[in-house]
């Protein structure tokens, strides 16, 4: 298995070579978080009906002094396995809520989405953390979206669900990230107190060439709507894909076609000067595949 429970539970000697370097990487990450060295970049999420930027997703970026840029796909799973995720998530929440406060001077209706690991639900005191930071930055819970990945990797699904319900209870919005990739389970989905699902980029890959792929996406969107979720298409890179997804009923769009993840300052400039909505509602964006 490339990731998930396997690697953490079954020790393999073949991993010896990596382990020392991985542990060093995690020690470095803890140190970097302590020194406030990582950064958050932000990617806008845009309404496919109005063209409005509804919010931004916070994505962590880390430049390691010797290794250069390390991708979150590399260090986040490792942080989940080693418990460092707790420190990472704390740092992300604090930074993202602080940055949202600053973005509100441009658009007070913007939301921020933070990625939270399934493991955080059992090991991090998320509710208290959000409450403290919301108070500090004077933010309202419906301005904050908690994106949850890998629900199937929850060691204790009951406890995870309980923690998630506590977050929903205080008014935070819950989003199911990477829907349609990996192990997302439908039986679990119906229990989650979520208001949004994000269709994984992998799910959207062949929608132009394969009728089956299109059918699956259309079904996922109508199922999402049936369950009362807003449906976000993520990783949308072309106008053609955006048009097709709109015709299939997706509500919101995220992807390079709209905007790549940017630093806070760059995003602020984009919000002010980019007139991003014009593109989405432009007559050029048709539903034709
Ligand atoms: P995700 O939450 O599903 O985030 C979407 C990923 O797709 C991001 O990669 C984003 O940069 C990338 N992306 C956005 N639009 C496009 C597009 O049009 N085309 C392509 N090819 N990619 C696009 P990134 O930033 O490398 O993050 C990868 C994953 O790492 C995230 O997936 C998330 O699961 C995790 N991650 C990132 N930041 C954090 C964080 O602060 N905390 C936690 N727990 N996980 C994080
Ligand atoms: Mg996400
Ligand atoms: Mg995702
Ligand atoms: Mg993800």
């Amino acid at each position: 298995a490339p990731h998930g429970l396997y690697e953490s539970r079954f020790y393999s000697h073949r991993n010896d070579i990596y382990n020392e370097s991985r542990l060093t990487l995690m020690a470095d990450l803890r140190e970097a978080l302590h020194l406030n060295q990582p950064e958050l970049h932000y990617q806008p999420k845009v309404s496919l009906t109005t063209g409005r930027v509804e919010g931004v997703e916070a994505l962590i970026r880390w430049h390691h002094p010797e290794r250069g840029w390390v991708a979150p796909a590399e260090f986040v799973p490792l942080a989940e396995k080693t418990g460092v995720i707790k420190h990472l998530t704390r740092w992300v929440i604090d930074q993202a809520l602080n940055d949202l406060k600053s973005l509100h001077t441009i658009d007070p209706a913007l939301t921020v989405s933070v990625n939270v690991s399934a493991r955080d639900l059992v090991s991090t005191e998320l509710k208290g953390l959000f409450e403290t930071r919301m108070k500090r930055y004077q933010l309202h819970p419906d301005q904050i979206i908690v994106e949850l990945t890998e629900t199937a990797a929850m060691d204790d699904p009951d406890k995870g669900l309980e923690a998630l319900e506590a977050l929903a209870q205080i008014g935070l919005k819950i989003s199911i990230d990477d829907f349609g990739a990996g192990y997302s389970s439908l039986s679990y989905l119906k229990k989650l107190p979520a208001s949004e699902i994000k269709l994984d980029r992998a799910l959207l890959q062949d929608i132009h060439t394969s009728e089956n792929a299109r059918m699956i996406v259309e079904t996922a969107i109508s199922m999402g709507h049936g369950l009362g979720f807003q449906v976000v298409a993520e990783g949308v890179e072309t106008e053609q894909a955006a048009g097709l997804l709109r015709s299939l009923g997706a509500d919101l769009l995220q992807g390079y076609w709209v905007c790549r993840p940017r630093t806070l300052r760059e995003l602020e400039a984009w919000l002010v000067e980019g007139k991003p909505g014009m593109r989405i509602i432009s007559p050029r964006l048709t539903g034709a595949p």
Side-chain angles (χ1 to χ4, degrees):
H3 60 276
L5 291 177
Y6 261 97
E7 223 172 86
S8 61
R9 290 209 174 144
F10 303 105
Y11 183 79
S12 154
H13 289 281
R14 265 180 286 156
N15 284 334
D16 273 357
I17 307 162
Y18 301 109
N19 279 343
E20 203 191 316
S21 129
R22 286 173 156 191
L23 287 178
T24 310
L25 189 68
M26 286 300 99
D28 293 348
L29 178 60
R30 277 211 62 172
E31 174 78 359
L33 288 165
H34 185 67
L35 297 172
N36 204 29
Q37 283 170 348
E39 270 181 63
L40 289 180
H41 283 198
Y42 292 94
Q43 186 179 41
K45 185 175 75 179
V46 176
S47 163
L48 270 167
T49 42
T50 64
R52 224 184 69 78
V53 179
E54 304 228 322
V56 296
E57 177 177 5
L59 296 159
I60 193 166
R61 297 290 178 262
W62 178 33
H63 190 267
H64 187 280
E66 286 120 40
R67 304 185 200 211
W69 293 103
V70 189
E74 193 179 329
F75 65 83
V76 169
L78 212 51
E80 287 172 348
K81 279 169 214 154
T82 53
V84 175
I85 193 68
K86 183 156 69 172
H87 305 281
L88 186 149
T89 300
R90 278 182 161 277
W91 180 85
V92 169
I93 291 172
D94 187 42
Q95 189 66 46
L97 269 55
N98 190 8
D99 289 347
L100 181 64
K101 196 68 202 165
S102 153
L103 286 171
H104 278 174
T105 59
I106 297 174
D107 180 353
L110 285 178
T111 62
V112 73
S113 297
V114 290
N115 288 286
V116 154
S117 155
R119 219 131 282 179
D120 284 317
L121 290 178
V122 287
S123 66
T124 312
E125 220 287 280
L126 289 175
K127 181 171 167 274
L129 200 56
F130 276 111
E131 281 174 332
T132 315
R133 298 302 185 270
M134 284 191 296
K135 201 169 176 192
R136 178 179 299 169
Y137 304 119
Q138 295 175 301
L139 292 165
H140 202 261
D142 67 9
Q143 298 165 328
I144 298 158
I145 301 174
V146 179
E147 289 192 9
L148 182 69
T149 352
E150 284 270 34
T151 50
M154 273 189 213
D155 294 324
D156 187 344
D158 290 336
K159 207 174 163 209
L161 187 61
E162 215 172 279
L164 211 55
E165 272 161 358
L167 297 180
Q169 204 94 61
I170 60 169
L172 298 167
K173 291 185 181 165
I174 311 295
S175 172
I176 312 304
D177 204 350
D178 305 333
F179 184 76
Y183 316 97
S184 23
S185 124
L186 292 180
S187 67
Y188 199 71
L189 186 68
K190 70 182 177 193
K191 296 185 202 162
L192 297 176
S195 56
E196 177 186 277
I197 56 171
K198 300 186 83 171
L199 305 183
D200 194 75
R201 195 162 60 90
L203 201 65
L204 311 177
Q205 231 154 39
D206 301 318
I207 51 172
H208 297 295
T209 51
S210 155
E211 177 61 32
N212 283 352
R214 203 147 56 227
M215 184 70 78
I216 286 171
V217 170
E218 192 169 12
T219 305
I221 292 171
S222 67
M223 181 197 71
H225 287 161
L227 291 167
F229 300 139
Q230 291 258 86
V231 180
V232 185
E234 66 176 352
V236 178
E237 294 180 351
T238 64
E239 177 169 347
Q240 190 191 20
L244 181 53
L245 285 157
R246 184 163 76 170
S247 75
L248 294 176
D251 304 294
L252 297 147
L253 199 72
Q254 233 182 294
Y256 294 169
W257 180 66
V258 178
C259 183
R260 285 184 179 253
R262 295 163 181 247
T263 65
L264 181 66
R265 295 298 160 231
E266 288 165 352
L267 179 85
E268 285 171 343
W270 183 85
L271 286 170
V272 171
E273 296 152 20
K275 299 192 175 53
M278 298 312 290
R279 232 176 140 183
I280 301 291
I281 54 174
S282 117
R284 287 180 60 215
L285 183 52
T286 67

